[in-house]
C-alpha cells in the first residue's frame, strides 16, 4: 500500500527511471534550457511566494543570516537560471565507457557510467538548492525527491511548479523532479528509511540535520558539508605567506564550510610572529579564542574552551592553539577535524608531505588557503555539496559524483566451467 | 571511556592508520609473503582449532552445506596462502594519481588514491574469509576489524594469531588485523554503530545478516552478495544458445550468488522449445517451479508460489515464468531482482540494448551466462565480495574498490577572492 506523500512520489519517480536513464544529451540539455527560460519568465510568481516565506520567517524572528539564505531576488533568480544554462553546456557523463576488456573466450565487459537512480535531497532554508539540485539531477539522468525546510515551502512549491511545467514541454518526464509537501518531521524519517524506493540520500544543511540523517538513515547517505577546518603554521612557515593564508581563509567568507575555524601555530613561529597575526585578525573584527600558551603571547584573546575546538563557527571567530610539533598538530586535527579541508604552511617539503599523508580529510593543502575546496574552483562547473565521507565521493561533488556504473557484458553464447 | 572489545580494538586499529597509509608497496608485499609463509608453517595448529569448531557444529547438528563452509583442510590452507602470494603480485593501488590539474593561479590539485581506513567485516562461517579479507586490507593499507560467526571462533582465533605473529616480523603493525572475540550479538551492533571509529562495514553472508546490517548500521555499508539472478529468453533467442546458457547458469555451481534462480521465457519461444529445456534441466536433477502458463506446457513442474520469485535458492531449484514481452520481463526483474546479475538471450540487438539499459543491476548480460560476475573473471585478481548497491562500488570488488581518494593541493601561497 502506497499512501504517504513521500512514498507516492518516490514510487512515481521510480517509474520514470528507465526513461531518464536513456535520454539523449540533447534532450536533457533542451530541458535544462527550457527550465531556465521558465524561471526567467515567471520571476514575479516565484518572488511573491518567497515573500510569503520571508514574512513568516520575520514573524518567527529568525536570525538575519537565515533570512538572507531564505531570500530570493531577481538577481538570484537570474543566477539560478544561468546556473541551469551552465549545466546544459557541461559534458553529459552518462553512457561514458569507463573501462572495457574482453575475456579469452570473447566475452566483452564494458564498465559504463549510469545514473544513481532516485536521489532524496533533504535540505534547509536556501530555495536555490531546489533549482540547483533539480538541474544536476536532470543533467545526470537521475530522478530527485526534494524535501526543503518548512520555512521555504512557498518558494519551493513555486519553483517546483515552474520546473515541472517547463519539463512538460520537453522529453524529460516531469516526475523527474518532485517536492515533498508533507512538512512533518516524520516525512524526513520516511525518506531516509525508504530502502528500495530511494537509492541515495544527500543531506544539505547544518550539523544537526546532517548528523540526524547519518544516524537514522537506512538508505545509503552521502554526508556533506560540515567543515571544521584547520591551518597548521609550521616553524618553517614563511611569515607573510602564513599570515596571508590565515587571513584569507578566515575573512574572505567566514560563513562557508571551507573557511578556517582553528589555527594551530608552532611554538617557535608563535614566539616571533603570532602577536602581529593576532593584531591583524582583531583589526578585521575576528574574535580570537586562544589556548593558555596563546594567552601568554597575546593576552587580549578570550580563553578557548573545549567546545571551541569542536565548533564550526561559520563566523568571524577563530580558535588559536600553540603546538610543539607536527605530531601534536596532526593529533589535534584528526581528533577535532571533520574530514573537510586542512592546510599546512611550511617551507619544509618533508614536513608538508608528512602532513598531507597524515591528515584524514577530503582536501589537504600545502601553502594555500582552504578556501579552494569548491566545485567551481575544481572545474566541475557545478557543485551539489562537499562530501566529508570516504565512500563513493570525497570533496566537492559535481556531475560525475552523481552517477554509478554498471558492467555490460556482450557475449555470443559464452558459458563457464 | 573505551571499554568494550570492539571499541578497544577499533581504537587500536585507528592509531596505526597513518602508518598503514604510508607503507611502501614492498613493505606490504613482504608482509603478505610472511603471512603466507606462517600459515603454511603452522597448518597443524590451525587445523586443530578448526577441528574444535567442526566438532561443535556437528554436535549442534548443522547442515552439511554449513559444515562444508566451515571446514579447513591442508589443501584449503595452501590455497589461502597462495591467495596471499597472489595479492603480493598485484599492483598496489595506493598513491595512484587519478587526476591532476593546475588552476590559473598555479595551485596544483592532485586526486590521489588513499586507503578507506578502518574496515569492519562481519561474516559467517567461512574461516577463509578471515585470511582473504586480512590480505586484501593489508595490500590496500587499510586496517580491518573482523567479526566472524561463533561457529568458527576457534579457527578465526588461530588464523588471526598466526597473521599477527607474522606481521610482528614485518613493517606492518599487527594492529592492522584484529578479530572481535566477543561473540554476543551486541558486538555486531557495536561495530555497525561505531561511527568515527570504523569507516565502512562490509557484511558477507546470508540474506538475513546482510539485511540486518543494512538496516541497523549507521556506519556506511557496502551491501554485498544476494543474487536473485534472472535470464530472459527472448522470442528471438537461438534455442541451443539459450538452452546452454540456462543450463550453465543453473547447474555449474548452484550454490553461488551468480547462479540463475528464475528464467523468464517469451511465450513464443516457450511454445517451441521450453519442453525440451525443462526435460534437460530435470534430467540434471533441477527442481522446476513454474507459473500457470509453464504448467500448461510442461505439466510435471511444481506450481510456483509468490515466494519462489523472491528466493535465492542457492540450490538445484529453478523458477520458470512465461512472459509476453520484454516489458513484462523487465517489470518482473526490477521488482524481484537483487541488482546483481541479469541476462537476456536474443539475436535481436535492439531488444538486447533495451534490456541492458532497462535493468537495474551491477552486471547485465547479452547472450552469456550470469556466472561471469566474479572478481577472478573480471581480472581483479582478488574479490572481497560483489556489491549490489549503487554507491561507491558496484559488482565484484577488488583492490581498487577498497580505496578512497583525497585531493592534495600544492601551492605557493595562493589565496582566494
Amino acid at each position: 500500500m502506497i499512501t504517504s506523500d513521500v512514498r507516492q512520489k518516490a514510487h512515481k519517480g521510480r517509474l520514470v527511471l528507465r526513461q531518464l536513464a536513456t535520454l539523449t544529451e540533447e534532450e536533457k540539455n533542451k530541458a535544462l534550457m527550457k527550465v531556465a527560460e521558465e524561471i526567467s519568465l515567471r520571476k514575479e510568481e516565484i518572488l511573491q511566494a518567497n515573500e510569503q516565506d520571508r514574512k513568516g520567517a520575520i514573524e518567527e524572528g529568525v536570525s538575519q543570516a537565515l533570512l538572507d539564505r531564505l531570500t530570493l531576488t531577481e538577481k538570484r533568480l537570474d543566477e539560478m537560471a544561468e546556473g541551469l544554462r551552465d549545466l546544459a553546456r557541461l559534458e553529459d557523463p552518462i553512457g561514458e565507457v569507463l573501462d572495457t576488456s574482453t575475456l579469452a573466450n570473447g566475452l566483452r565487459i564494458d564498465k559504463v557510467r549510469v545514473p544513481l537512480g532516485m536521489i532524496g535531497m533533504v535540505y534547509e532554508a536556501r530555495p536555490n538548492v531546489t533549482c540547483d539540485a533539480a538541474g544536476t539531477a536532470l543533467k545526470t539522468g537521475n530522478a530527485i525527491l526534494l524535501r526543503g525546510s518548512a520555512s521555504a515551502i512557498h518558494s519551493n512549491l513555486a519553483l517546483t511548479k515552474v520546473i515541472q511545467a517547463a519539463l512538460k514541454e520537453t522529453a524529460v518526464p516531469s516526475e523527474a523532479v518532485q517536492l515533498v509537501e508533507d512538512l512533518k518531521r516524520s516525512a524526513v524519517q520516511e525518506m531516509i528509511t525508504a530502502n528500495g524506493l530511494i537509492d541515495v540520500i544527500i543531506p544539505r544543511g547544518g550539523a544537526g540535520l546532517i548528523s540526524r540523517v547519518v544516524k537514522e538513515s537506512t538508505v545509503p547517505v552521502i554526508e556533506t558539508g560540515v567543515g571544521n577546518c584547520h591551518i597548521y603554521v609550521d616553524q618553517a612557515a614563511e611569515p607573510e605567506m602564513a599570515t596571508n593564508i590565515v587571513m584569507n581563509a578566515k575573512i574572505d567568507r567566514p560563513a562557508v564550510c571551507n573557511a578556517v575555524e582553528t589555527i594551530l601555530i608552532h611554538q617557535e613561529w608563535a614566539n616571533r610572529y603570532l602577536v602581529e597575526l593576532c593584531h591583524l585578525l582583531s583589526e578585521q573584527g575576528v574574535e580570537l579564542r586562544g589556548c593558555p600558551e596563546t594567552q601568554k603571547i597575546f593576552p587580549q584573546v578570550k580563553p578557548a574552551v573545549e567546545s571551541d575546538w569542536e565548533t564550526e563557527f561559520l563566523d568571524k571567530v577563530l580558535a588559536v592553539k600553540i603546538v610543539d610539533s607536527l605530531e601534536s598538530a596532526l593529533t589535534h586535527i584528526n581528533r577535532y577535524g571533520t574530514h573537510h579541508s586542512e592546510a599546512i604552511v611550511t617551507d619544509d617539503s618533508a614536513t608538508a608531505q608528512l602532513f598531507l599523508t597524515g591528515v584524514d580529510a577530503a582536501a589537504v593543502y600545502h601553502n594555500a588557503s582552504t578556501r579552494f575546496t569548491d566545485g567551481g574552483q575544481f572545474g566541475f562547473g557545478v557543485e551539489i555539496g562537499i562530501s566529508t565521507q570516504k565512500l563513493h565521493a570525497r570533496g566537492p561533488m559535481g556531475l560525475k559524483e552523481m552517477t554509478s556504473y554498471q558492467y555490460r557484458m556482450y557475449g555470443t553464447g559464452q558459458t563457464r566451467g
Side-chain angles (χ1 to χ4, degrees), chain A:
Chain A
M1 277 269 293
I2 292 164
T3 48
S4 73
D5 187 33
V6 165
R7 295 189 71 85
Q8 261 183 47
K9 285 175 178 160
H11 190 73
K12 274 166 81 174
R14 284 208 88 78
L15 292 179
V16 299
L17 287 185
R18 271 168 55 198
Q19 192 183 341
L20 289 172
T22 52
L23 290 168
T24 65
E25 178 160 12
E26 201 192 342
E27 288 170 328
K28 289 185 278 194
N29 291 344
K30 275 191 179 168
L32 286 164
M33 299 302 277
K34 184 74 197 164
V35 174
E37 189 191 323
E38 197 78 5
I39 286 176
S40 299
L41 284 175
R42 293 167 70 173
K43 276 187 205 166
E44 199 51 45
E45 171 184 347
I46 300 166
L47 291 177
Q48 277 176 15
N50 185 245
E51 191 49 35
Q52 277 188 271
D53 288 333
R54 279 177 45 82
K55 272 189 192 153
I58 292 167
E59 275 167 28
E60 277 187 38
V62 303
S63 71
Q64 189 58 42
L66 200 152
L67 197 62
D68 281 347
R69 288 202 288 274
L70 182 61
T71 301
L72 291 176
T73 59
E74 270 209 50
K75 182 163 170 285
R76 279 203 178 167
L77 289 176
D78 286 338
E79 285 165 1
M80 282 156 63
E82 197 47 40
L84 294 169
R85 291 188 191 102
D86 287 343
L87 272 171
R89 283 185 280 266
L90 292 175
E91 208 182 323
D92 182 357
I94 299 303
E96 186 190 349
V97 178
L98 301 167
D99 206 356
T100 185
S101 59
T102 304
L103 303 189
N105 64 14
L107 181 65
R108 193 177 97 225
I109 308 180
D110 283 359
K111 183 177 180 180
V112 182
R113 202 186 279 287
V114 298
L116 283 171
M118 168 63 75
I119 295 167
M121 176 80 89
V122 182
Y123 55 106
E124 287 173 340
R126 301 179 193 267
N128 62 309
V129 172
T130 307
C131 183
D132 297 351
T136 310
L138 287 180
K139 181 77 187 194
T140 47
N142 290 295
I144 193 161
L145 185 58
L146 300 156
R147 171 53 157 79
S149 61
S151 59
I153 185 66
H154 298 98
S155 313
N156 289 337
L157 275 170
L159 281 166
T160 317
K161 197 172 145 192
V162 168
I163 293 168
Q164 290 176 339
L167 292 182
K168 288 216 169 89
E169 295 174 46
T170 73
V172 177
S174 63
E175 293 86 350
V177 178
Q178 295 178 95
L179 180 74
V180 173
E181 295 173 40
D182 181 346
L183 297 178
K184 289 194 298 294
R185 205 178 149 89
S186 60
V188 172
Q189 201 62 25
E190 262 192 304
M191 280 180 78
I192 65 182
T193 55
N195 297 62
L197 283 177
I198 297 179
D199 293 296
V200 54
I201 295 284
I202 305 179
R204 282 189 69 175
L209 171 75
I210 308 267
S211 114
R212 177 189 165 201
V213 170
V214 167
K215 277 201 188 121
E216 299 180 15
S217 184
T218 54
V219 176
V221 173
I222 301 183
E223 188 173 350
T224 67
V226 179
N228 185 15
C229 306
H230 301 76
I231 295 172
Y232 168 54
V233 178
D234 183 52
Q235 64 197 108
E238 207 266 287
E240 197 185 326
M241 186 194 287
T243 304
N244 286 342
I245 287 174
V246 168
M247 297 290 288
N248 179 258
K250 183 71 261 181
I251 293 165
D252 184 41
R253 277 188 75 189
V256 295
C257 60
N258 57 22
V260 68
E261 306 292 6
T262 293
I263 54 173
L264 301 162
I265 313 282
H266 191 282
Q267 181 77 60
E268 285 184 31
W269 197 95
N271 293 341
R272 298 170 66 186
Y273 310 111
L274 183 58
V275 171
E276 195 186 336
L277 175 59
C278 289
H279 273 301
L280 288 170
L281 286 162
S282 301
E283 278 167 23
Q284 294 291 325
V286 176
E287 178 188 318
L288 300 171
R289 304 188 185 170
C291 69
E293 289 303 315
T294 305
Q295 294 164 41
K296 283 184 202 159
I297 289 177
F298 192 75
Q300 301 93 310
V301 296
K302 277 180 67 170
V305 295
E306 176 67 15
S307 65
D308 289 325
W309 311 123
E310 295 164 353
T311 304
E312 188 190 22
F313 300 112
L314 295 171
D315 205 345
K316 281 193 174 177
V317 178
L318 183 66
V320 186
K321 180 171 178 169
I322 291 174
V323 293
D324 57 6
S325 64
L326 169 71
E327 191 54 38
S328 311
L330 286 174
T331 303
H332 182 98
I333 292 173
N334 284 336
R335 173 161 177 197
Y336 295 104
T338 53
H339 316 294
H340 193 294
S341 300
E342 310 291 356
I344 181 172
V345 186
T346 184
D347 279 348
D348 181 333
S349 59
T351 303
Q353 204 49 36
L354 285 174
F355 181 90
L356 298 186
T357 55
V359 164
D360 183 12
V364 289
Y365 290 79
H366 178 205
N367 289 348
S369 167
T370 52
R371 289 276 296 117
F372 292 98
T373 309
D374 175 310
Q377 295 291 320
F378 276 50
F380 292 174
V382 62
E383 180 194 290
I384 201 72
I386 293 175
S387 163
T388 54
Q389 67 179 36
K390 290 195 215 172
L391 282 194
H392 188 70
R394 205 172 191 197
M397 293 191 292
L399 295 181
K400 287 183 180 171
E401 288 69 25
M402 299 291 273
T403 67
S404 179
Y405 57 84
Q406 179 179 58
Y407 291 100
R408 298 204 180 139
M409 323 280 285
Y410 297 94
T412 50
Q414 281 81 356
T415 57
R416 189 173 164 193

